[in-house]
Amino acid sequence: MTSDGQASPRIHMSSPDVGELEESFLVDAVRSGWIAPLGPHVDGFESELANRCGRGHAVALSSGTAALHLALLQLGARPGTSVIVPTMTFAATANAVVYTGASPVFVDCDPFSGNLDPELLGFAMSTLSAEGQTIAAVMTVDLLGKCADHDAIEALCDRHGVPVLEDAAESLGSVDRGRPAGSFGAAAALSFNGNKIMTTSGGGALLTDDADFAARARYLSTQARQPVEFYEHTEVGYNYRMSNLLAALGRAQLQRLDEMLARRREHRERYARTFERVEGVEVFQRDGDESDNCWLTSLLVDPKRAGWERQDLSKELAAGNIESRRLWKPMHLQPVFREARAFISGAAERLFATGLTLPSGSALDESDVERIDCIIGNFLDRVS
Ligand SMILES: *Cc1c(COP(=O)(O)O)cnc(C)c1O
């Protein structure tokens, strides 16, 4: 409650950051008459995205999940094949595999980055190959914006002759060893869902350097229509294309991407300062985060050393109408995937047990930041 008795507005972890520029792009799209489905903003958005991510081609789609689905289909995922999926991810990564009829095989993560553990991946690939299984693809996830160890993963996958699909839904704007997120593997997927680093209210894109791959994704995303004057179909297609209105929103967001990244980094730095001297607490993925997009900032709380648990802080924030969340619940622990094969070290389960994600969005204003700092400060005074 504020002093005038009003409940404080809810502070979310990552809400859309949309203002005048987005409004002007949307108005332009409406006035141009190009409402749906396609139009000049889609073409513009695609070339700007490809540029930003250092890729030859981008295909704007209705969601990141759609981008993953189309990429997997083209990489040959189908019934009877396996696709390796990091267990530490959002369900969309694994769901897209199931849509193709292939079987997801989960592999655990590195304990520090939370990203696919290359050593365990090597073991999983050797094991599956020795059993005569076909691995259609290895999916990497750049968890919370931190790029996976693509050098090690690509070397392994090259040796096994298996393509890599980068799920870059969380990592737009990150750079790893000079290479932008979205530029790794045979193809990559971006998401513009409302909580992501930038948004088109809902949307995604498929990135690739292969012109045929991009052309085929466009074709499958528009119901696989043959280029004739009547409706002729020789394959099953999908309705996965992004509309011109949403692409207009995306172009405005992309212009503001660096400013939004800088704002998220400020939150990361602030949390790092707040918890710098707090025993048993570390900022997740902080090591070497200079070129990460800082999509979400999470804490890892070791209850034995800290003397408190992540849920103690989470409850305190909730009482102040501030959202915080646990890290992704690993896929091998999800009831829906309980039959799936998994190569597990325990690292993802430990991150799930100790991790807490704090409000990190670029739309947080100074009064939001003050409210958060005040609650965390009071909490730390009390427990220390
Ligand atoms: C958000 C997200 C997706 C799905 O993107 P949508 O645009 O919501 O379909 C896929 N993978 C990861 C890792 C995500 O965080």
Side-chain angles (χ1 to χ4, degrees):
M1 295 285 221
T2 55
S3 51
D4 55 5
Q6 296 277 306
S8 307
R10 181 137 175 94
I11 295 178
H12 293 275
M13 283 199 326
S14 179
S15 30
D17 180 356
V18 168
E20 284 172 18
L21 188 68
E22 288 76 5
E23 188 180 325
S24 71
F25 269 74
L26 270 175
V27 168
D28 172 79
V30 170
R31 291 197 180 142
S32 74
W34 294 92
I35 308 300
L38 294 165
H41 281 299
V42 174
D43 300 336
F45 188 39
E46 288 182 341
S47 72
E48 287 155 13
L49 275 175
N51 243 339
R52 174 81 200 201
C53 297
R55 279 289 198 181
H57 307 273
V59 181
L61 298 167
S62 54
S63 71
T65 312
L68 292 172
H69 183 197
L70 292 182
L72 285 166
L73 285 174
Q74 290 187 76
L75 295 174
R78 58 175 181 276
T81 68
S82 298
V83 173
I84 292 184
V85 178
T87 193
M88 197 60 187
T89 187
F90 177 52
T93 319
N95 284 343
V97 175
V98 176
Y99 301 164
T100 68
S103 307
V105 174
F106 299 115
V107 172
D108 217 322
C109 64
D110 169 270
F112 300 103
S113 67
N115 283 323
L116 194 57
D117 175 346
E119 211 169 302
L120 196 55
L121 171 65
F123 175 72
M125 292 179 89
S126 303
T127 305
L128 295 173
S129 302
E131 290 170 8
Q133 311 242 13
T134 304
I135 307 170
V138 168
M139 297 175 84
T140 61
V141 172
D142 303 327
L143 189 72
L144 310 189
K146 162 88 72 199
C147 285
D149 187 352
H150 284 101
D151 282 357
I153 294 167
E154 280 178 2
L156 261 172
C157 288
D158 283 351
R159 212 173 314 139
H160 285 270
V162 173
V164 173
L165 170 56
E166 182 193 8
D167 181 345
E170 303 175 0
S171 59
L172 176 62
S174 294
V175 176
D176 183 40
R177 286 166 273 197
R179 288 178 64 184
S183 69
F184 299 95
L190 299 175
S191 167
F192 312 119
N193 192 36
N195 62 346
K196 293 286 160 46
I197 197 97
M198 61 166 256
T199 187
T200 58
S201 78
L206 188 152
L207 301 164
T208 179
D209 294 322
D210 179 340
D212 295 336
F213 200 111
R216 195 161 156 79
R218 284 198 180 93
Y219 157 79
L220 287 178
S221 69
T222 46
Q223 305 287 20
R225 279 165 61 178
Q226 290 297 317
V228 290
E229 93 244 49
F230 46 89
Y231 289 100
E232 172 94 342
H233 306 268
T234 56
E235 284 177 274
V236 172
Y238 302 88
N239 183 7
Y240 277 173
R241 207 70 164 106
M242 179 183 280
S243 84
N244 195 58
L245 275 190
L246 300 191
L249 195 51
R251 293 182 84 182
Q253 288 266 284
L254 198 54
Q255 280 193 11
R256 292 187 46 239
L257 180 61
D258 287 321
E259 156 200 336
M260 295 194 291
L261 294 174
R263 184 71 181 143
R264 287 189 190 252
R265 178 168 298 280
E266 283 175 22
H267 301 319
R268 169 79 55 97
E269 303 292 338
R270 208 183 66 253
Y271 289 128
R273 280 195 303 277
T274 303
F275 290 96
E276 201 170 15
R277 272 179 271 281
V278 179
E279 183 69 22
V281 178
E282 60 178 288
V283 171
F284 181 47
Q285 301 177 327
R286 174 80 172 142
D287 261 3
D289 72 354
E290 297 78 13
S291 22
D292 294 356
N293 68 359
C294 300
W295 174 49
L296 295 178
T297 295
S298 309
L299 303 175
L300 300 181
V301 181
D302 174 354
K304 286 206 197 74
R305 285 172 54 222
W308 51 275
E309 302 189 330
R310 76 170 149 66
Q311 52 270 43
D312 299 329
L313 176 56
S314 174
K315 274 186 207 136
E316 198 95 353
L317 289 165
N321 208 13
I322 296 169
E323 184 184 27
S324 62
R325 287 253 190 116
R326 299 178 71 172
L327 295 179
W328 303 127
K329 180 174 181 177
M331 291 303 111
H332 71 277
L333 300 179
Q334 298 286 356
V336 64
F337 295 122
R338 69 178 167 266
E339 307 285 329
R341 185 128 181 221
F343 293 81
I344 297 307
S345 64
E349 284 174 43
R350 282 193 297 278
L351 290 174
F352 178 57
T354 60
L356 183 72
T357 302
L358 301 173
S360 313
S362 49
L364 294 177
D365 65 20
E366 286 317 307
S367 78
D368 296 334
V369 166
E370 256 170 51
R371 265 174 64 199
I372 298 165
D373 280 352
C374 176
I375 288 181
I376 293 178
N378 290 342
F379 173 79
L380 289 177
D381 285 345
R382 193 153 48 71
V383 295
S384 65

